[in-house]
Amino acid sequence: MADSQGNAPATSAPPTTNSDDIDGVEAAGHFRIYLGAAAGVGKTYAMLNEGHRRKKRGTDVVIGFVECHRRPNTEQLIGDLEEVPRKRIEYRGAAFEEMDLQAVLDRHPKVALVDELAHTNVPGSSHNEKRWQDAMELLNAGIDVISTVNIQHLESIADAVEQITGVSIRERVPDWVLRKADQIELVDSSPEQLRRRMIHGNIYPPEKVPKALTNFFREDNLMALRELALRFLADETEEELLTHLTDRQTNALWDTSERILVGITAAPGTDTIVRRASRMASRIKGELHVLHIISGESANRSHDAQLDVLRQLTTDVGAHWYEIRADDPAQALFDFARAHQITQIVVGSSGRSRWQELKSGGSIVRKISQLAAPAGIDVHIIARRDPKSVGTETIGDSEEA
């Protein structure tokens, strides 16, 4: 575990591909991520130190993009590392600097340092919307990438952070991107140390410090974020260990049979249920399936936009999406579960009144529970959370470290 100077032992995570990846790339680069619980733990500092170490060993290293946030110690650490000139662009009357992806590709170093993986590119600066997409292009071109990200930007965790902190997380990275990394290294700092760094002006400008200390950087928030980061990394380490043991003990029996099924609708708050189920599946190393049932009641309703969001979320958290048409949603969900050897079903709590349930033939949630119990399938009923309950304050790439 690293201190605030980024001296962390490497913890490897097995690479995971995604259907969006380019298949057959013979010279794909290696991917390393410095993961932190919050801004200011020292991710960028650790990344630059790694760049200097590799340069001293004779490796061709360049800075694709580093955001120092006016931190003198970080600025000084750049030292003699080569920086690819940034792309300067005007947007809505303001000037911005972004990573020049094409310039880095043309320079084609062995290693590129690319800070703030969750960052959203200024329109017109890249053909990609997100910096993580830029990083994927560099990797596919055979360039090793070293990057940084905070735990709250992980897609499956972002909504939990919103509920804990009351802060809306705008910048998000699909889970598969982090799991594609060859190594994920935790840069750790205690909540007390982070708050001291904040007070001393080592994270944000002085004018932002009081608000940060009473909002996102409260000690209880930092403790929760730290635990989320540790749990995520522990899950990745366990997955690598199981892969290692399986490769070398082919006759050993490993319990990998847990399968979770989420029954979804286009109702508000469904994305929260999918993310919750994703975390459950991740902790037990289970498969996650998302099922949308088109019933006679909902077949003519226009929920295309909501369902598109849920389909993308399903992809982002590494789950499988299914759609079937049935007049009895509860029975269809149960039949699907039996056919796919599902061990746990996750559904959202019903928002219908007792009268509405009686008119439609009873509670779907209750019927699913009654069908699942004799079959030995566990049922989890997740409370729907009102998206409006999240605070209006946002956190984005400008608060990365």
Side-chain angles (χ1 to χ4, degrees):
M1 206 175 294
D3 58 22
S4 61
Q5 301 305 309
N7 299 315
T11 305
S12 300
T16 301
T17 58
N18 177 270
S19 58
D20 293 334
D21 291 346
I22 299 176
D23 295 329
V25 177
E26 295 181 359
H30 291 87
F31 191 21
R32 182 169 187 166
I33 296 175
Y34 285 97
L35 173 69
V41 296
K43 302 182 303 299
T44 301
Y45 200 94
M47 182 183 68
L48 289 171
N49 269 328
E50 177 68 15
H52 281 291
R53 287 195 293 271
R54 298 213 185 182
K55 182 178 179 181
K56 288 179 180 177
R57 296 197 296 264
T59 304
D60 182 18
V61 179
V62 304
I63 293 175
F65 190 94
V66 165
E67 182 56 76
C68 296
H69 295 291
R70 294 185 289 171
R71 296 164 188 162
N73 290 340
T74 306
E75 292 175 352
Q76 292 173 9
L77 190 59
I78 290 176
D80 61 352
L81 288 174
E82 177 186 344
E83 295 187 71
V84 175
R86 300 182 181 188
K87 177 179 285 189
R88 291 174 172 80
I89 187 168
E90 287 194 5
Y91 180 68
R92 294 183 177 177
F96 297 89
E97 291 186 343
E98 293 281 13
M99 182 175 77
D100 191 332
L101 174 60
Q102 190 58 53
V104 179
L105 288 169
D106 292 342
R107 171 63 177 76
H108 208 280
K110 172 61 178 172
V111 178
L113 309 183
V114 181
D115 211 1
E116 299 184 353
L117 201 60
H119 171 77
T120 299
N121 293 323
V122 173
S125 63
S126 172
H127 58 270
N128 294 317
E129 180 186 0
K130 299 286 188 178
R131 187 168 290 159
W132 64 261
Q133 294 171 311
D134 291 341
M136 293 300 105
E137 284 202 35
L138 296 176
L139 289 168
N140 288 331
I143 300 171
D144 294 352
V145 174
I146 304 176
S147 190
T148 66
V149 72
N150 283 334
I151 192 63
Q152 74 261 21
H153 297 299
L154 189 63
E155 180 62 60
S156 65
I157 291 176
D159 72 318
V161 176
E162 289 183 336
Q163 294 297 324
I164 291 168
T165 65
V167 175
S168 178
I169 309 299
R170 294 185 293 106
E171 311 284 10
R172 303 193 179 198
V173 178
D175 290 39
W176 68 262
V177 174
L178 268 70
R179 294 192 173 116
K180 184 180 177 68
D182 299 281
Q183 286 185 309
I184 302 176
E185 187 167 326
L186 180 66
V187 184
D188 188 42
S189 180
S190 70
E192 297 83 1
Q193 184 183 35
L194 263 181
R195 285 173 60 84
R196 284 197 302 271
R197 295 196 68 212
M198 177 71 74
I199 293 170
H200 293 155
N202 294 327
I203 301 179
Y204 290 168
E207 65 272 14
K208 291 187 176 182
V209 170
K211 184 178 180 181
L213 288 173
T214 57
N215 289 280
F216 193 79
F217 274 75
R218 294 200 319 266
E219 187 169 349
D220 57 336
N221 285 346
L222 295 175
M223 290 174 63
L225 290 167
R226 190 186 194 194
E227 182 174 352
L228 287 170
L230 289 167
R231 284 184 178 181
F232 175 80
L233 196 61
D235 287 343
E236 294 303 296
T237 304
E238 181 183 1
E239 184 175 331
E240 182 185 22
L241 175 61
L242 289 176
T243 300
H244 174 84
L245 292 174
T246 301
D247 288 344
R248 288 157 178 76
Q249 299 182 29
T250 55
N251 294 325
L253 180 62
W254 298 97
D255 186 7
T256 58
S257 60
E258 290 288 348
R259 298 175 183 85
I260 296 180
L261 173 65
V262 188
I264 65 127
T265 68
T270 301
D271 57 333
T272 300
I273 297 167
V274 174
R275 291 190 182 93
R276 180 75 179 275
S278 172
R279 294 195 294 274
M280 293 168 59
S282 178
R283 287 169 187 164
I284 63 173
K285 299 301 171 192
E287 296 178 6
L288 181 61
H289 304 264
V290 179
L291 176 63
H292 175 232
I293 299 173
I294 306 171
S295 66
E297 179 182 355
S298 61
N300 296 323
R301 294 180 182 176
S302 177
H303 293 310
D304 290 347
Q306 296 97 313
L307 290 174
D308 285 344
V309 171
L310 293 170
R311 287 190 192 95
Q312 184 60 52
L313 176 60
T314 299
T315 298
D316 288 347
V317 300
H320 306 280
W321 174 273
Y322 304 89
E323 282 188 3
I324 60 175
R325 187 177 295 273
D327 294 328
D328 187 340
Q331 185 66 52
L333 187 74
F334 173 72
D335 291 344
F336 182 95
R338 290 294 299 269
H340 290 79
Q341 297 183 331
I342 298 298
T343 58
Q344 302 184 45
I345 294 175
V346 176
V347 292
S349 57
S350 175
R352 300 189 300 174
S353 67
R354 179 63 175 163
W355 173 244
Q356 289 173 318
E357 289 181 349
L358 289 173
K359 284 179 64 179
S360 61
S363 167
I364 294 176
V365 173
R366 183 179 295 110
K367 185 174 180 180
I368 291 170
S369 299
Q370 291 172 342
L371 289 168
I377 302 174
D378 297 332
V379 177
H380 305 272
I381 303 172
I382 306 299
R384 296 182 185 274
R385 293 181 177 134
D386 184 358
K388 296 179 181 178
S389 65
V390 177
T392 57
E393 183 183 354
T394 62
I395 183 168
D397 58 274
S398 62
E399 296 180 333
E400 286 284 357

